[in-house]
Amino acid sequence: MKTGMLYAAGAFLSWGLFPLYFHAIKDVPASEILAHRMAWSLVFLMLVLLVRRQWKWLPQVMRQPKVVASFVASAFLLSANWFVYIWAVNNGHVVDASLGYFINPLVNVLLGMLVLKEKLRRGQWLAIAVAATGVAWLTWQAGQVPYIALVLALSFGAYGLLRKTAALAALEGLSFETLILFPLAVAYLGWLVFHGQSVFVNAESDTTRWLLAAAGPTTAIPLLLFAAGARRIPMSVLGMLQYMSPSLQMLLGVWVFHEAFSSNRLVGFLFIWGALAIYMLEGWLSSRKMSNA
């Protein structure tokens, strides 16, 4: 239990500190960062698979067109989520990005109802209604829909839905997704080099090159820690720990990157946090009733 909590906390801490990493390479276009993230992630994951000698699954998967198609879809959802997040951080929207991951658990509940036909309890309906009120408030105050937060929440929610029913475990699944994205990433990086627009090649400092290459382990290690932690601790504990990431991201956005956080914006966040509190309390009460039954 303690080991699992350490693994999971390490993963969420890493994700919470991601803005610092992306801010360090803010002069690199988001599209190039994304391509490097795809390419170097595969290199790192292939090394892990090589060390662990976990290759038997790949030929079997390649003979199953439906499984391949589902991972093509999840790979592109993951890349869309990555791109929007990188763009948001590097364009002064860290707080908006954190909002997306506060909303994400409630999006998961909603997708479970709409797609998996899961029945929602009254407390879950109330949590979704309160969260929707918060989003509506933020939309009214800003004069526009908080599209960054919603795109991140919906894309990662849909990605999680596909991975929930996936035929591969975390390491193999992520490896296969990056394998699918790798040719596109390499082709784009090659196009940048050919046209003299590659920051990786043209950068004056080796630090930028090392940071871009670090996108592989930076991406994969938290996911592996998360997978290891998820196997060892209850989902309720995992759900509580997951709010470390958006909380850290929001604090970095306000205190480190000095993004605006007005009282009107705080009201919207309070609605979202209230919805999460209702959601967690309802889940805890429901699990207690089931254990006492």
Side-chain angles (χ1 to χ4, degrees):
M1 179 73 170
K2 289 182 180 179
T3 304
M5 288 186 69
L6 286 174
Y7 283 145
F12 292 125
L13 177 63
S14 300
W15 285 327
L17 297 175
F18 260 17
L20 295 175
Y21 168 72
F22 289 119
H23 196 263
I25 48 176
K26 64 179 180 179
D27 294 330
V28 183
S31 56
E32 185 172 352
I33 296 175
L34 176 63
H36 279 287
R37 196 174 184 186
M38 294 173 182
W40 291 109
S41 291
L42 181 64
V43 172
F44 179 80
L45 290 166
M46 290 299 105
L47 289 173
V48 173
L49 290 171
L50 185 64
V51 170
R52 298 180 64 169
R53 298 181 180 180
Q54 287 181 238
W55 293 104
K56 293 181 180 179
W57 57 272
L58 187 55
Q60 297 172 357
V61 169
M62 295 303 293
R63 291 193 294 267
Q64 302 177 62
K66 288 185 178 180
V67 174
V68 173
S70 70
F71 274 95
V72 169
S74 67
F76 281 97
L77 279 170
L78 184 62
S79 63
N81 182 272
W82 283 356
F83 176 78
V84 173
Y85 182 79
I86 294 166
W87 181 90
V89 170
N90 289 355
N91 285 272
H93 296 286
V94 175
V95 174
D96 291 324
S98 72
L99 176 63
Y101 292 107
F102 278 122
I103 296 173
N104 177 247
L106 300 172
V107 168
N108 292 340
V109 173
L110 198 57
L111 287 174
M113 180 196 71
L114 295 174
V115 180
L116 302 179
K117 307 302 179 184
E118 296 175 352
K119 292 183 178 180
L120 300 190
R121 298 182 293 271
R122 288 183 181 178
Q124 292 174 317
W125 275 116
L126 178 59
I128 291 172
V130 173
T133 304
V135 172
W137 171 266
L138 290 169
T139 301
W140 180 63
Q141 287 296 322
Q144 62 178 13
V145 175
Y147 61 90
I148 293 172
L150 292 177
V151 168
L152 286 173
L154 290 169
S155 60
F156 201 69
Y159 171 75
L161 184 66
L162 286 175
R163 289 304 306 271
K164 181 180 176 67
T165 56
L168 297 175
L171 174 60
E172 292 86 349
L174 182 63
S175 300
F176 194 48
E177 286 165 347
T178 51
L179 184 64
I180 291 166
L181 296 169
F182 185 77
L184 296 175
V186 170
Y188 178 67
L189 292 173
W191 183 88
L192 290 176
V193 172
F194 181 77
H195 290 276
Q197 298 177 20
S198 171
V199 176
F200 186 85
V201 172
N202 299 329
E204 296 180 1
S205 170
D206 285 337
T207 302
T208 300
R209 297 188 185 93
W210 282 111
L211 284 171
L212 286 171
T218 301
T219 297
I221 289 173
L223 286 164
L224 297 177
L225 286 172
F226 174 79
R231 288 196 297 268
R232 290 171 169 83
I233 60 177
M235 286 300 293
S236 57
V237 177
L238 194 68
M240 291 290 289
L241 289 173
Q242 80 176 72
Y243 296 112
M244 286 175 60
S245 296
S247 299
L248 281 171
Q249 291 169 17
M250 190 194 72
L251 292 174
L252 287 173
V254 175
W255 289 347
V256 177
F257 304 126
H258 307 293
E259 294 183 13
F261 197 73
S262 65
S263 57
N264 286 330
R265 201 176 197 188
L266 176 61
V267 171
F269 268 78
L270 287 172
F271 273 108
I272 303 298
W273 294 331
L276 292 174
I278 293 168
Y279 170 70
M280 289 187 290
L281 178 62
E282 192 279 337
W284 178 71
L285 291 173
S286 178
S287 63
R288 280 197 67 184
K289 285 181 181 178
M290 290 180 66
S291 62
N292 293 332

